[in-house]
Amino acid sequence: MGVPEPSPSRPLRRRRLLRYGAALTVSCALAGYLVVRFGPDAQHARPGCEVVSADGGRTTYSFGADQAVNAATIAAVGTSRGMPERAVTIALATALQESGLRNLDHGDRDSVGLFQQRPSQGWGTVAQIMDPVYSAGKFYQRLDKVDGYASLPLTVAAQKVQRSAFPDAYAKHEPDAALLAAALTGRAAASLTCESTVPDGTGDPSAVRAALIRDFGAGVLPGAPEARQKATAAATTASPSPVEGTFSRGGAPARTRTVVVPVAGAGTAKGAKGAKDGRRGWELAQWAVAHASVLHLSEVAYAGREWRASGTGHTWREVAADKGDGGAGGAKGAGGPADVRIVTAP
């Protein structure tokens, strides 16, 4: 008859129970993370954006909706100053390295903002630098003073502006920045998309107009000199045309949801003029998609294509020339530029 093994002591049993409990806690936490991160509702919990290369999407870059807003503003400020696409690429690569395209209120020493600019180094006050339009403008202002910056390696051009302790770090962001710049300057048509559910909350067309004026300047909308004065209050008095309205079931005009942004020379898509107008239109349209999450946009349409926040968020689909349903349709066919139509969430 064998001798029974002694039972574990009470301290040993307690340690085993603690280990089992810790392992169970970790397993539950991991399971919860996987459900949130990869479950059926993950894409709605963390809406994101994607930009594809102009050659048909063989190269892509995915990023967050908050990053898309800042990237679009950086690009708009650059083109509004007459800066070339290369300058926008340099600015975006710099912001990717310095802040991850996030408007940080902290950093090394007194650095803040998208470009981690320092008030003590003459970039402006903290409040000014935390304004993405101001900080991007200051970056381009200094970049423009760099002789031959467009032909310099990106790291060299960026370093002449930033004077970073790690100048070579900018290079790793150049491919992604180039994709973003091609889309946000309009050269790569229908290449930037954002996926989300229909935005929570009602969109405000006057806020859309104010944001357009803030990023692109007064000339982006008709009557903009007057609208610029009211942009700080996120409201304008621009009168919508009848086609901008939506209608209730009884036929009475309802709240206007659509903002129409004219593209200069629309309908004259011949030669260099048409190409320039088309690029401007796609710049405005993709700026709107990038801002969809913060401006509560449901649709954007341009040149016979339409992006919708719900269902087809990573797709620019072709639409009929005139849907006639009060949405973003009504854009002219794909053969030439048309007004950009931005529809806010109802």
Side-chain angles (χ1 to χ4, degrees):
M1 183 175 178
V3 177
E5 294 183 2
S7 61
S9 65
R10 183 172 298 176
L12 179 58
R13 289 198 301 271
R14 184 180 297 112
R15 286 197 296 272
R16 286 179 177 175
L17 287 173
L18 288 174
R19 285 199 299 269
Y20 295 151
L24 181 61
T25 300
V26 171
S27 298
C28 291
L30 177 60
Y33 166 78
L34 292 174
V35 168
V36 173
R37 178 66 178 83
F38 300 107
D41 296 326
Q43 66 178 1
H44 303 310
R46 294 178 57 85
C49 300
E50 182 180 73
V51 62
V52 300
S53 59
D55 61 5
R58 287 191 288 271
T59 305
T60 65
Y61 171 57
S62 298
F63 53 113
D66 58 331
Q67 295 170 298
V69 171
N70 292 324
T73 293
I74 290 171
V77 172
T79 59
S80 297
R81 286 172 166 259
M83 304 294 282
E85 183 180 332
R86 178 61 176 173
V88 175
T89 299
I90 295 169
L92 289 169
T94 301
L96 278 166
Q97 169 58 28
E98 297 292 352
S99 68
L101 281 173
R102 292 183 171 89
N103 199 24
L104 303 178
D105 62 359
H106 60 277
D108 179 47
R109 289 171 283 189
D110 59 336
S111 301
V112 294
L114 288 170
F115 298 91
Q116 289 292 279
Q117 296 158 337
R118 299 179 59 193
S120 64
Q121 301 300 308
W123 286 96
T125 66
V126 171
Q128 287 174 324
I129 296 171
M130 288 298 294
D131 175 2
V133 173
Y134 173 91
S135 62
K138 293 296 287 186
F139 180 89
Y140 288 120
Q141 184 183 65
R142 296 198 181 187
L143 179 64
D144 199 34
K145 295 179 180 178
V146 177
D147 291 337
Y149 72 83
S151 59
L152 293 175
L154 186 145
T155 54
V156 175
Q159 174 63 2
K160 286 182 177 293
V161 176
Q162 294 293 106
R163 303 187 185 279
S164 170
F166 306 98
D168 295 335
Y170 300 114
K172 64 186 176 184
H173 300 289
E174 184 168 2
D176 295 334
L179 284 178
L180 281 171
L184 293 170
T185 61
R187 179 171 63 83
S191 60
L192 184 143
T193 54
C194 294
E195 186 171 33
S196 66
T197 58
V198 174
D200 293 332
T202 300
D204 182 357
S206 64
V208 176
R209 297 186 185 99
L212 283 162
I213 294 168
R214 177 200 66 206
D215 284 8
F216 289 98
V220 71
L221 294 172
E226 295 78 11
R228 188 214 290 269
Q229 297 175 6
K230 300 181 181 181
T232 54
T236 68
T237 56
S239 299
S241 63
V243 75
E244 291 183 75
T246 55
F247 295 87
S248 64
R249 291 183 178 179
R255 183 183 62 85
T256 298
R257 290 175 48 205
T258 304
V259 176
V260 177
V261 188
V263 177
T268 58
K270 294 182 180 180
K273 177 66 174 175
K276 182 178 179 180
D277 289 345
R279 181 163 178 161
R280 172 66 167 176
W282 281 112
E283 176 185 12
L284 292 164
Q286 293 181 133
W287 173 94
V289 171
H291 280 77
S293 62
V294 293
L295 293 176
H296 303 293
L297 307 181
S298 61
E299 301 173 40
V300 179
Y302 176 65
R305 295 191 192 182
E306 176 187 71
W307 170 90
R308 288 193 173 194
S310 179
T312 58
H314 272 313
T315 304
W316 280 92
R317 66 186 185 92
E318 293 187 0
V319 294
D322 188 0
K323 296 192 320 181
D325 63 356
K332 296 180 181 178
D339 294 342
V340 175
R341 294 177 178 268
I342 304 170
V343 182
T344 59

